[in-house]
Every structure is written in C-alpha cells, then in structure tokens.
Amino acid sequence: MPWQRPSRILPLILALGFSELVRSGFFIAYYPYAAAQQGLTAAQIGLVISAHYLMDAAAKVFVLKYYGKFGIGPMLGLAALVGALNVWFLPEMGFFEGMLLTALWGLLVAPMWPLVMTTSSLEAKVGSENLAANYGNLMIGMGTALGMLGGGFLVQTRVEWLFPALMVTQALFLISALLNWNFRTEGLQKVIQERSYLRRVTSSTMQFWKRTEQQDAFPYAALRQLIPAAFLQMLIPALFSGVWQKFVDMTGVKSWSPALLLVVIVVAVLMFAAGMYGTASATRKKSRLVPALLLGLGLMCASFVALPLLIHQAYLWFVLAVAALSAGYGTYLSSWNGVVILLLAPEHRAVGWSVLMTFEALGFAVGPFLGGVAWTLMPGSGTFFLAGLFLALTMVYYRLVLHGQALASTESRGPHAG
C-alpha cells in the first residue's frame, strides 16, 4: 500500500467507488430505461442527466467549504441519502422536478473526486504520491465500469434486478460515509474552510489573459496549462454515454459466449492496471511524464478509430483493440496524475484539483450531445472517429504546451510534490 495509514484513506475511496458505481449504473442504464416508460422523451432524459453533471461541475470548488464546516462524513452521509431518493423517485418524476432533485444530488457529491484524489496523495508515503493516486483511480474506476457494464447487461436481461442492486450499492455508500464520520486531514482544513481563498483562486485562474503570477504562491499559470486538456479528456468518454447501448447491441454481446465476454473483461482490467502501475514506475523521472501522456493518448486514439472497423472481424482483433485502449487509458491516467501532483504543491492541490475537475465535469456534460450528433451523422462509427479526433487534438496540445521546459519552469516546490 502506498499510503502511510491505509485505514484512513480506504473508507473514503470506497465511498466514492460506491457512489460512482451507482451514478454510472443509474444514469447510463436504469434511468433512461425507466424514464422512457413514464413518457419522457430522449431530449428530456438527456437534460435531466445534464442537470446533474452540470451542477456537479459548477459546485466542485465552492461546496468544499461545507465539507470543511460540517465534516466530510456528515456531508457524505447526506449525499448518500439524497442519492437514494434519486434512485427511488427520479424515474417516476416529471421533467422539471426531476431536474431539481438530480441537481441537488450533483451538488452534494461534487467535491468528492478532488477530496479523494488530494487526500490520497497527501496521505501517501514520500515518493509514492502518483502511485497512491493511481490506486484510488483504479478502485473508483472499477466501480464506474461495473455500473456501466453491469447496468447495461441487467437492462437487457434482468431489468427487475437493477433497481434493488442500485439501492444495495447506495446503502454500501452510506455505510462507507459513516466510516468517515470523524475523518479529518490537516492538508485540507485550511483550503476547505476559507471561502475567500477558494473564490480568489478560482477567479484568478479563470483570467486566462493574465501573463504574470499573482502575489500569493498559488501556481496559476501551471493550472491554466492543464485546463483545456482537462475539459477534453472527460468530454471524450462522455461522447459514448448516450450511445453506449447502441454500441453494445451492434457488437452482438448477447450472442457472445460467456468465456469470450470474460476474456474481454479480464484483458481490459489487466491492461488498464498494467498501464497505470507501469507508468507510475517509469515516470519517477519527471522528464518522462509528458512522453507517457502522449503514448497513452496515441494508443487510445488508434484504438477508437480501429474499434468500429473491427467489430465484425475476428474476435482476436477486437480483443487486441480493447487491450490497447485499456493500456492507453491506464498509461494516460497515471501520467496525468503525475503531472498534476508535480505542478501543484500539497497546500494548493485540493483547490487546484477542484478547478481542473470543474472543467472535466463541464466536458462530461457536453459530451453526450456531441456523441449523439456524431452517431446520427455516421451510425456505428461517427462517435468513435470524433473521439479519435479529440484525442489527436489533445496530443497536439500536450506536445506544444506541456513539452520541454513547461514542467520544469512551473514545478511545485512542496515537500511531497511529484
């Protein structure tokens, strides 16, 4: 374990993992199915989902204050209860009241990702910050993937099982929240309790036209370098949220043998983990971070372009494309964590990660619309090709903005940086 005291951080990671499992299973699988039975149109369903994620994006920085004021555990418990109300009542609610309820859920869970990533790196052993962030990403990412894949599978096969499965998982989220009832970390207290600091940093970061640093020590220029890529990197997976079920149907998953399905899942998990931990080890030299980013982006770009072309080819080629995509994502995610940890010293990391994740969430909110348009224009392949295009643009951005002296000139000097 890369943490000094794993028992402190693991309940917090579990809470976010269960939360993401429920959110992905609910919004990708159960809610679109159940709301359609109540007569909501696809556009209305999409707007309700967007309301949740837009509130998630807008509230990441400022709701941190209330996590500090009332405590991480109590706020997580409230988020779990409101999430359970969403799972229970949202599919039967009308359009406008549904938007209000799901927006409240997004408001309460908004700070969870930056809290977990920041705390994970601050609680890490010296020199293991990137590895600690990767552990958290892997555990939480498995929850997201399980919700998406498992929810999609149950909607197609045993839809009556999906609601109880979501409620049980939400109960596990509540239990995890209670385990964090008295959780405190000194590295976050100043940040999450000082609203003026949050406001000043956020407003100053948004002023992209400023060329000089502010008087305080916050690395504004470094954060601005990361914002455009943060927006793009979450827009890309969100492209598929509205068309995921169409892709599953197109691949003929129902006709696959259980052994083939198991092989695809195992290969994806193993390659993702290999990419994350291999990169965390290889990038202990900071000069390797950006090349690793480019490698991960390149693998994902090639895989997204290849996947729709290989769906009806031999299974081996499809499995290889999935393996390359998983390894690329693991490589990229580990490198991204390393860059953020390197550029943001411990005392600035919570706010910095919150600002970045605000833009990530905005990208995630925009993605479903663009993905749906691309699928409509080019059924079966348009969304994949658009993802490849955005990945290529992200590669160009990283190569031009973050390569060479960019990391060295803005490197954080905190005791645990990188």
Side-chain angles (χ1 to χ4, degrees):
M1 287 289 183
W3 301 288
Q4 300 176 46
R5 289 169 292 180
S7 59
R8 283 172 54 85
I9 186 64
L10 285 176
L12 192 60
I13 292 175
L14 282 174
L16 182 53
F18 287 131
S19 175
E20 291 301 294
L21 195 161
V22 171
R23 288 209 297 171
S24 61
F26 181 71
F27 285 120
I28 291 177
Y30 183 66
Y31 178 68
Y33 167 83
Q37 306 302 310
Q38 299 297 319
L40 266 65
T41 66
Q44 290 174 322
I45 291 171
L47 284 173
V48 171
I49 296 173
S50 292
H52 176 88
Y53 285 106
L54 284 171
M55 183 59 73
D56 185 335
K60 281 193 183 300
V61 174
F62 298 106
V63 179
L64 275 171
K65 174 192 175 182
Y66 299 99
Y67 271 70
K69 181 177 181 179
F70 299 111
I72 292 174
M75 290 297 292
L76 289 178
L78 181 60
L81 292 175
V82 172
L85 292 176
N86 271 263
V87 176
W88 192 286
F89 293 110
L90 188 62
E92 299 180 356
M93 296 179 71
F95 173 59
F96 292 106
E97 61 265 36
M99 288 184 67
L100 292 175
L101 181 61
T102 198
L104 178 61
W105 189 13
L107 177 77
L108 291 171
V109 300
M112 287 185 65
W113 264 106
L115 274 172
V116 170
M117 296 302 293
T118 302
T119 306
S120 183
S121 66
L122 293 177
E123 292 285 321
K125 299 172 184 175
V126 176
S128 297
E129 292 84 1
N130 190 11
L131 187 60
N134 290 343
Y135 262 76
N137 266 131
L138 180 60
M139 295 178 188
I140 299 161
M142 288 177 68
T144 303
L146 182 60
M148 181 175 64
L149 296 172
F153 175 76
L154 288 177
V155 161
Q156 287 187 315
T157 56
R158 295 282 186 176
V159 69
E160 67 274 12
W161 291 3
L162 186 50
F163 172 76
L166 290 172
M167 291 301 293
V168 168
T169 308
Q170 193 69 11
L172 293 174
F173 173 27
L174 177 59
I175 293 171
S176 301
L178 296 177
L179 292 176
N180 290 284
W181 194 261
N182 294 316
F183 182 82
R184 292 289 186 274
T185 172
E186 294 180 3
L188 293 177
Q189 288 310 303
K190 178 176 184 291
V191 170
I192 61 182
Q193 291 186 27
E194 292 190 13
R195 187 172 183 178
S196 62
Y197 177 67
L198 295 173
R199 187 189 303 117
R200 184 177 72 252
V201 167
T202 304
S203 61
S204 297
T205 302
M206 303 306 171
Q207 297 172 10
F208 289 92
W209 58 87
K210 287 196 173 183
R211 298 292 182 182
T212 58
E213 292 285 326
Q214 305 296 312
Q215 293 300 312
D216 59 50
F218 192 87
Y220 295 101
L223 194 60
R224 292 188 198 112
Q225 287 181 336
L226 299 174
I227 283 174
F231 177 82
L232 278 175
Q233 72 185 21
M234 285 307 292
L235 182 150
I236 292 165
L239 293 173
F240 298 91
S241 61
V243 301
W244 173 251
Q245 208 57 51
K246 293 182 174 62
F247 171 65
V248 170
D249 294 337
M250 191 170 64
T251 59
V253 169
K254 285 185 178 180
S255 64
W256 287 8
S257 69
L260 176 61
L261 188 60
L262 181 62
V263 165
V264 172
I265 294 173
V266 169
V267 166
V269 171
L270 289 178
M271 294 305 293
F272 174 72
M276 290 197 77
Y277 298 118
T279 304
S281 176
T283 55
R284 289 185 184 276
K285 291 185 178 180
K286 299 177 180 66
S287 61
R288 297 176 179 172
L289 279 169
V290 173
L293 277 172
L294 297 175
L295 173 62
L297 289 167
L299 284 171
M300 287 193 291
C301 181
S303 301
F304 273 124
V305 172
L307 273 171
L309 305 176
L310 298 174
I311 285 174
H312 300 297
Q313 304 300 318
Y315 288 132
L316 175 62
W317 294 107
F318 184 76
V319 172
L320 288 175
V322 170
L325 177 63
S326 301
Y329 183 55
T331 299
Y332 170 75
L333 191 58
S334 179
S335 308
W336 170 260
N337 290 337
V339 169
V340 174
I341 290 169
L342 177 68
L343 294 181
L344 300 176
E347 63 269 23
H348 307 308
R349 207 169 289 160
V351 171
W353 234 315
S354 296
V355 173
L356 289 176
M357 288 182 176
T358 296
F359 284 90
E360 288 180 354
L362 287 172
F364 197 86
V366 172
F369 170 74
L370 295 178
V373 171
W375 188 279
T376 302
L377 295 176
M378 296 181 66
S381 59
T383 309
F384 290 89
F385 293 160
L386 183 61
L389 174 62
F390 283 142
L391 284 164
L393 292 174
T394 308
M395 289 177 68
V396 171
Y397 178 81
Y398 276 132
R399 179 65 180 84
L400 295 178
V401 176
L402 291 183
H403 207 265
Q405 299 300 312
L407 290 179
S409 62
T410 55
E411 183 177 335
S412 294
R413 302 298 178 186
H416 298 292

